Amino acid sequence: YKMKKVLATVLTASLMAGIFVGCSSNSGKTENDTNKSDGNKVVKVFQLKVEINDALQQLAKKYEEETGVKVEVTSVGGGADYGAALKAEFQKGTEPDIFMIQGAGDLEVWSHKVDDLSSEKWISNAVKGTLDTVTKEGKIYGMPVATEGYGLIYNKEILDKASIDPKSIDTFDKLKAAVETLDSKKADLGLENVISYTTKETWVTGNHTFNIPLAVQENPAQFTKDYTDGKADITNNQGFKDWMNLVDLLCKYSGGATLDTIDYSTQVGNFALGKTAFLHQGNWVAGDLTKLEANFDMGFIPLAINNDTKVSGSIPVGVPMYWTVNKDSAVNTEAKEFLDWMVTSETGQKSLIEDMKMIPAFTNFKVETDDKLAKSIIEYNNAGKILPWAFTNLPDGFSMEKIGPIFSKYAKGEIDQTKMLEEIQALTKK
């Protein structure tokens, strides 16, 4: 299959190591102990991708119709703190049977709770390299949720009107020129701003924007570790100096001081309505854009930071999340069966590709995507134009709680480029 060929190359270069989401000393059985006594089998799922909530709820209903096993889905994400919410579930004793973790860092945090999935049937179909960050001492503890990528999503109709070819934008200078051209034609094009951005959603700034200067280092994982340990010099690093010009461009042409008032829904909504030409997000917004009837042609251009086309012609692609099974769950077997069904049955595959608009991290999918954003990510991936998700090496909550607020200060004009880099540096000084 075409998809099989496409996905066989995914992510061998991706350096992922998860975000710590916090752990709990609360062990013991899940709430399903009580469910089991009356014969009802309920698998409780706790997950952070709010944009797939509706589709996942529908898939859970179909699973119950087919198997008689009820699956309850709770989604916490977007502007909410998934890590804190997950920790709270364990502390309350309402432990989920299936939950999401974000790679190796989370695996360390939740190792006392996650079950060994090494003997599951789907393992043999996982794309090479995608299980590395959830493998410990030869055992596999997570199932990849999807392959994701992000950058600046463009509205091709608007770019065509401004005579801009998105495929030609592979350097910072070209990106800046395109943004300035669009800004000069805002009135004619009906734009409120050139770019849809947000500083309110610190997962966008602290995770995704901040990832770029980490990802362009010679050894992203090592550099990120050195930064965390207070050993890396951010203020004199060329990658970070170049990146500040990108940050400036993003803030200046997206609303500046008003960015703290723009949440995820507004950010995506403005782009869907044609009020902006670009959207700083990933392929996970595809479902929301479909709901908003954004039927125009679209794709990704990179978040370019310099004039090296190898760097500025690439986008971050990775497996940011994994499904795990609670080893103390009373419906442990049923939980594993549901995950396997999700990626092996035609019903599950269709839901993941057509309803959730995901790019599978498996080679056995018979359903092919018609999603424009997924196709754009696959193109970059096939061309080897990918950067790692280096921010996942940062400690629990660091990117959103510490890095994110510095973006807000910059957008409001409270600090300049030099001061922003100094503040980022100071966060890890020992």
Side-chain angles (χ1 to χ4, degrees):
Y1 303 107
K2 185 176 163 197
M3 183 64 83
K4 181 170 181 176
K5 192 177 165 194
V6 162
L7 287 165
T9 57
V10 174
L11 294 182
T12 46
S14 208
L15 300 160
M16 309 222 3
I19 301 172
F20 295 95
V21 274
C23 79
S24 162
S25 57
N26 184 347
S27 58
K29 301 290 179 184
T30 72
E31 206 178 48
N32 275 311
D33 286 345
T34 51
N35 292 343
K36 209 166 182 192
S37 61
D38 60 14
N40 295 333
K41 296 228 170 153
V42 182
V43 175
K44 288 166 60 189
V45 177
F46 199 81
Q47 69 96 25
L48 63 78
K49 291 179 70 58
V50 287
E51 69 277 9
I52 65 164
N53 177 65
D54 295 351
L56 196 55
Q57 300 277 9
Q58 286 165 2
L59 185 62
K61 278 184 196 151
K62 287 176 185 167
Y63 187 69
E64 187 178 3
E65 285 163 17
E66 281 192 30
T67 64
V69 176
K70 188 175 172 62
V71 176
E72 284 178 0
V73 178
T74 303
S75 303
V76 176
D81 188 335
Y82 170 80
L86 179 62
K87 194 195 295 186
E89 290 299 311
F90 278 83
Q91 285 168 343
K92 284 188 300 188
T94 52
E95 301 184 9
D97 306 296
I98 295 171
F99 59 99
M100 279 185 188
I101 65 167
Q102 300 186 70
D106 277 3
L107 182 57
E108 288 300 314
V109 173
W110 294 101
S111 59
H112 64 299
K113 275 289 167 189
V114 293
D115 206 358
D116 178 9
L117 303 176
S118 307
S119 57
E120 294 303 297
K121 294 193 285 288
W122 53 260
I123 297 276
S124 59
N125 296 317
V127 170
K128 188 172 185 259
T130 57
L131 302 177
D132 294 354
T133 60
V134 284
T135 301
K136 194 177 175 186
E137 293 167 6
K139 292 179 177 176
I140 296 158
Y141 293 95
M143 184 177 96
V145 175
T147 301
E148 294 184 342
Y150 70 90
L152 289 174
I153 302 170
Y154 60 83
N155 179 329
K156 192 164 186 300
E157 284 174 24
I158 293 172
L159 266 55
D160 284 348
K161 283 177 194 165
S163 302
I164 294 167
D165 175 13
K167 298 262 192 256
S168 72
I169 303 172
D170 57 2
T171 67
F172 176 75
D173 285 352
K174 288 177 186 171
L175 174 61
K176 188 169 187 272
V179 168
E180 287 171 352
T181 298
L182 290 162
D183 190 61
S184 70
K185 298 180 177 183
K186 266 200 318 193
D188 295 341
L189 297 169
L191 300 176
E192 278 182 15
N193 290 298
V194 178
I195 303 166
S196 257
Y197 193 44
T198 168
T199 55
K200 184 184 176 81
E201 304 286 11
T202 57
W203 57 275
V204 175
T205 51
N207 288 346
H208 300 149
T209 315
F210 186 62
N211 180 66
I212 303 298
L214 298 172
V216 302
Q217 303 297 325
E218 202 169 319
N219 184 335
Q222 187 59 49
F223 183 90
T224 309
K225 185 179 186 310
D226 288 346
Y227 166 63
T228 304
D229 293 342
K231 295 174 188 166
D233 181 5
I234 297 282
T235 53
N236 294 304
N237 183 283
Q238 195 56 49
F240 273 84
K241 286 180 178 176
D242 291 340
W243 171 69
M244 276 312 312
N245 295 324
L246 171 67
V247 172
D248 191 59
L249 194 77
L250 291 172
C251 292
K252 184 177 177 182
Y253 294 98
S254 60
T258 64
L259 285 171
D260 261 3
T261 66
I262 297 172
D263 61 8
Y264 170 79
S265 300
T266 311
Q267 188 204 6
V268 175
N270 285 344
F271 178 72
L273 292 167
K275 292 179 180 180
T276 62
F278 295 116
L279 169 63
H280 181 324
Q281 277 292 353
N283 63 293
W284 51 82
V285 301
D288 288 331
L289 289 173
T290 301
K291 283 180 202 160
L292 294 165
E293 297 179 358
N295 300 319
F296 46 83
D297 198 7
M298 63 183 86
F300 286 93
I301 61 164
L303 286 156
I305 67 166
N306 59 24
N307 294 322
D308 174 357
T309 53
K310 190 174 185 305
V311 169
S312 290
S314 301
I315 64 170
V317 177
V319 174
M321 279 148 299
Y322 294 82
W323 293 113
T324 58
V325 174
N326 186 337
K327 69 181 175 62
D328 296 321
S329 164
V331 287
N332 181 287
T333 303
E334 288 79 7
K336 289 175 182 173
E337 285 169 355
F338 173 65
L339 289 183
D340 187 67
W341 177 85
M342 200 160 35
V343 296
T344 56
S345 71
E346 190 184 350
T347 309
Q349 290 186 6
K350 281 186 84 155
S351 174
L352 289 176
I353 299 237
E354 293 170 8
D355 303 332
M356 300 183 204
K357 308 288 185 193
M358 285 183 173
I359 305 169
F362 295 93
T363 56
N364 63 310
F365 271 55
K366 296 180 177 129
V367 184
E368 289 199 14
T369 185
D370 62 353
D371 177 59
K372 301 178 187 106
L373 295 182
K375 283 181 170 176
S376 184
I377 299 282
I378 289 165
E379 268 180 49
Y380 278 99
N381 192 57
N382 284 357
K385 294 178 176 177
I386 59 172
L387 297 171
W389 291 53
F391 74 88
T392 56
N393 289 291
L394 294 166
D396 175 28
F398 183 87
S399 50
M400 288 171 66
E401 291 163 24
K402 304 270 200 297
I403 299 284
I406 298 175
F407 278 84
S408 298
K409 288 203 264 186
Y410 184 80
K412 289 174 190 163
E414 292 170 10
I415 51 173
D416 63 9
Q417 294 195 14
T418 306
K419 187 76 176 126
M420 181 163 173
L421 289 182
E422 283 172 1
E423 290 202 7
I424 291 171
Q425 181 76 69
L427 292 174
T428 61
K429 272 207 169 149
K430 293 287 183 278

